[in-house]
Amino acid sequence: MGFYRNELYGLKYILMCCPFVETLIFDVTPPNIFEVEMHYVDYWANNVEVGLECVVNTLKLVGIRMFTGTNDQLETLRYLLSFGRNLKALKIYLPKDGVDEVEKETYLKQAEIVLKMKTSSTELIRSIHY
């Protein structure tokens, strides 16, 4: 996916140090075959203070390019949606090149899970793009 352990710690650091972040765009990279599996639910539940200031107060746009619906992507988005009470837009971009029809369908189903996730924002518009 691209959210390796150190990148999640880096994301937490950025969110803590930049309390006025309004836009987060993730460019997903292919998985690292040497990356050790991590429990992403546990990471967001236990390792991040509930509702970092910028996520709660200023974050307005979240985008994720090359979304495939891996656990790390889903749990990161679940965290941001749960606490991002001022989110206005969530844009999910599915891979369009180099994937077969079965993969496209799988990625679309995963994106639809995100569309159904609970959010604290009353103004959030979610969209899926190819």
Side-chain angles (χ1 to χ4, degrees):
M1 182 294 180
F3 291 157
Y4 305 126
R5 179 178 298 120
N6 290 338
E7 291 174 326
L8 286 174
Y9 292 126
L11 175 58
K12 176 186 173 185
Y13 181 77
I14 289 169
L15 295 174
M16 288 173 51
C17 294
C18 304
F20 301 108
V21 169
E22 292 186 4
T23 302
L24 282 177
I25 304 293
F26 299 104
D27 282 316
V28 176
T29 59
N32 180 343
I33 62 171
F34 300 109
E35 180 66 19
V36 176
E37 181 62 27
M38 193 173 161
H39 297 283
Y40 296 97
V41 175
D42 293 340
Y43 178 84
W44 288 114
N46 301 321
N47 192 33
V48 177
E49 293 75 12
V50 174
L52 292 168
E53 184 178 348
C54 77
V55 174
V56 172
N57 296 319
T58 63
L59 189 61
K60 294 182 178 150
L61 168 66
V62 173
I64 183 165
R65 296 180 182 131
M66 300 296 288
F67 177 86
T68 57
T70 57
N71 286 337
D72 52 344
Q73 294 172 6
L74 293 173
E75 294 309 319
T76 299
L77 293 175
R78 187 181 320 278
Y79 171 81
L80 295 171
L81 291 173
S82 293
F83 294 103
R85 67 178 181 210
N86 290 309
L87 274 174
K88 306 287 186 237
L90 170 65
K91 298 181 179 189
I92 299 172
Y93 296 90
L94 303 176
K96 59 182 174 184
D97 298 324
V99 293
D100 61 35
E101 290 304 314
V102 173
E103 289 173 313
K104 284 183 182 180
E105 185 64 29
T106 300
Y107 301 156
L108 180 59
K109 286 180 182 177
Q110 292 298 93
E112 289 170 350
I113 290 171
V114 177
L115 296 182
K116 296 175 185 173
M117 286 180 181
K118 292 181 181 178
T119 180
S120 60
S121 172
T122 58
E123 300 178 31
L124 180 64
I125 297 172
R126 307 174 207 205
S127 58
I128 301 172
H129 309 271
Y130 283 97

